[in-house]
Amino acid sequence: MNIRSLTRGDGVVIGAAVVLFIASFLNLFGVDCPRGIDCSGYRSNAWDSLSLLMSIYLAGIIGAALLITSRAIPGRKVAGLDLAQFGAAFTVFALWTMFWTIIDASNAGAGLILGLLATIALAGGALATPLVPALKAPLMGAPRPATPGHPGQPQFGQPSQGYGYPGAQQPYGVQPGQPQPYGAQPGTSDAAQQAPQTGGAPSGDFTPFWFAVPVARPLYGEDGAATPIAELAPGTWYLAVEQRGSGLIAQTQDGRRGVLQDTTGIQRG
């Protein structure tokens, strides 16, 4: 999975799951042990109680895993529900069970207290991420190019000049006097429009280029299936390898290829 597709909310969920796992090894209940008496046999953690382990600690961790998996496999459903919905339900169930467990405990230990804080963060991150813009922002920014200006290396902030590598003057398939798609700069002279042809590339040939999307957009399979095979995340560069009608055949960083149907506002490298 591309780590740059994760959001800040996903980071909260992952961190809370790690804390919850650590809390499962801590004492569930505090024990007032008289001096000189060995009370080690009265100390227990979540791994000594199957009901608490499965309904709170592992339920929360499984919910976090389902939420993160839904990022890698968008559109995957189980019993008609999206993986993210299943994951959110697990986290809420873990918080609900933990709340009443700690209410019922006469002397809660570190395992319950830390577990309660972790489940609050876990359920909060799962439910708030789709609603809060700050949590929907990418966890990591776009990578900086290793060699600035090298063909094929994307750079933010460069003006959009149509299809092709950075510096290309003419978008694919545009002839003099015809409209220029994808935000190509108007007013280019005929000589400038013919510049890519003098550079050795045959007229009409598509030149792969790097691009980034302004918002998360689904990537559909080349077979025309209605279910997305991946989700393109803002702040990540992808490679356009072919034009398909008004869309693009894009390749993700893990090698998957699909059709990007909505190309409005894309940032070319």
Side-chain angles (χ1 to χ4, degrees):
M1 182 184 68
N2 182 11
I3 192 174
R4 296 188 182 277
S5 66
L6 298 178
T7 65
R8 294 176 181 173
D10 296 328
V12 172
V13 168
I14 294 173
V18 172
V19 174
L20 187 61
F21 180 72
I22 295 173
S24 68
F25 294 96
L26 303 179
N27 293 328
L28 295 174
F29 307 101
V31 177
D32 294 329
C33 186
R35 183 183 300 272
I37 298 179
D38 183 13
C39 298
S40 59
Y42 297 94
R43 302 182 186 278
S44 62
N45 56 35
W47 296 90
D48 299 318
S49 175
L50 183 61
S51 60
L52 292 181
L53 177 67
M54 299 303 298
S55 60
I56 298 177
Y57 297 89
L58 289 187
I61 294 172
I62 291 172
L66 290 175
L67 287 167
I68 302 306
T69 302
S70 68
R71 294 289 183 185
I73 314 175
R76 180 63 61 88
K77 294 185 177 182
V78 178
L81 295 176
D82 188 85
L83 282 181
Q85 293 175 314
F86 259 110
F90 267 95
T91 61
V92 172
F93 174 74
L95 174 59
W96 173 264
T97 309
M98 174 61 82
F99 175 77
W100 292 111
T101 299
I102 202 169
I103 288 294
D104 188 54
S106 59
N107 190 9
L112 288 180
I113 296 174
L114 188 61
L116 176 64
L117 298 177
T119 52
I120 290 174
L122 190 59
L127 298 178
T129 296
L131 305 176
V132 180
L135 294 179
K136 291 192 293 184
L139 182 61
M140 301 181 64
R144 305 293 297 180
T147 307
H150 188 276
Q153 294 289 338
Q155 300 182 51
F156 274 119
Q158 289 187 342
S160 173
Q161 299 182 3
Y163 285 136
Y165 294 117
Q169 298 289 333
Q170 175 66 22
Y172 167 73
V174 175
Q175 301 298 328
Q178 292 183 345
Q180 302 184 16
Y182 298 105
Q185 310 238 341
T188 309
S189 65
D190 292 348
Q193 290 175 349
Q194 298 300 327
Q197 300 180 18
T198 61
S203 177
D205 289 346
F206 181 84
T207 306
F209 64 95
W210 294 92
F211 72 94
V213 292
V215 295
R217 287 178 179 168
L219 189 69
Y220 296 92
E222 297 186 64
D223 56 358
T227 302
I229 63 171
E231 183 180 68
L232 304 188
T236 302
W237 292 105
Y238 302 96
L239 182 65
V241 297
E242 183 183 336
Q243 185 176 14
R244 178 71 60 85
S246 60
L248 295 171
I249 302 296
Q251 178 173 313
T252 63
Q253 294 184 351
D254 56 8
R256 287 180 291 176
R257 287 176 43 147
V259 181
L260 175 64
Q261 298 179 353
D262 185 4
T263 58
T264 56
I266 61 173
Q267 171 69 44
R268 285 170 294 278

